[in-house]
Amino acid sequence: MLAALLLCSPASVQAHGDAKGPSVMPATSEATGPAMTIYRSASCGCCTQWGEHIAAAGFRINDQVREDMDRVKQANGIAPDQASCHTAIVEGYVIEGHVPASSIQRLLAERPDIRGLAVPGMPIGSPGMEVKGRTADPFAVMAIAHDGSTTVFELY
């Protein structure tokens, strides 16, 4: 189990996941919620586990497997200290990492003037990073302002 956690832990500059969970996103063609494009590497199983969480909340997933995740993050204004393993776009907002669906739903309901949300790193217990028998670590969902600064959006 420790090896799997290490493979799914943050890398040197940008965090990218690996190895844990299924390699295919759930089918969401019948979903009626907002469309979300998720960019991820092919080897990241925790990304697909997060996708299952997002699908369960009714989001429609457009899965984009990419090998240039650093470029995707840079193009969407994600700083290295905000990075996680996957990057998503929903209704013009960037969603970085294991952000709970409830935070995304709040974002879309309130529509603040921000770039998006991030859960930096890959905290144990965040959606897609659950570990059986292990208590979830507390984590923060950060709001990313247009200038790249962050503030706490929600605490879990």
Side-chain angles (χ1 to χ4, degrees), residues 2-152:
L2 180 57
L5 290 176
L6 291 174
L7 288 173
C8 235
S9 66
S12 59
V13 177
Q14 305 271 358
H16 297 288
D18 205 355
K20 185 179 128 204
S23 62
V24 178
M25 284 288 182
T28 58
S29 61
E30 301 296 318
T32 59
M36 179 182 293
T37 299
I38 301 174
Y39 299 93
R40 65 181 181 92
S41 67
S43 62
C44 187
C46 58
C47 297
T48 54
Q49 288 184 305
W50 181 75
E52 290 173 1
H53 168 76
I54 292 302
F59 289 90
R60 290 175 286 134
I61 297 173
N62 173 14
D63 187 24
Q64 296 293 311
V65 177
R66 302 283 291 267
E67 295 308 316
D68 60 345
M69 286 304 298
D70 288 338
R71 189 170 287 148
V72 169
K73 291 172 189 318
Q74 290 167 353
N76 287 286
I78 301 299
D81 64 339
Q82 300 164 350
S84 184
C85 54
H86 54 267
T87 303
I89 306 295
V90 61
E91 296 190 7
Y93 290 104
V94 63
I95 306 297
E96 180 66 14
H98 295 268
V99 177
S102 59
S103 291
I104 299 167
Q105 290 163 333
R106 177 182 159 206
L107 172 76
L108 297 178
E110 295 177 5
R111 302 246 177 231
D113 185 20
I114 61 174
R115 181 176 295 153
L117 301 177
V119 171
M122 301 165 82
I124 298 298
S126 60
M129 290 298 298
E130 297 91 347
V131 177
K132 187 175 181 173
R134 174 130 182 234
T135 303
D137 293 337
F139 66 94
V141 175
M142 305 303 293
I144 306 170
H146 293 290
D147 67 1
S149 63
T150 58
T151 55
V152 174

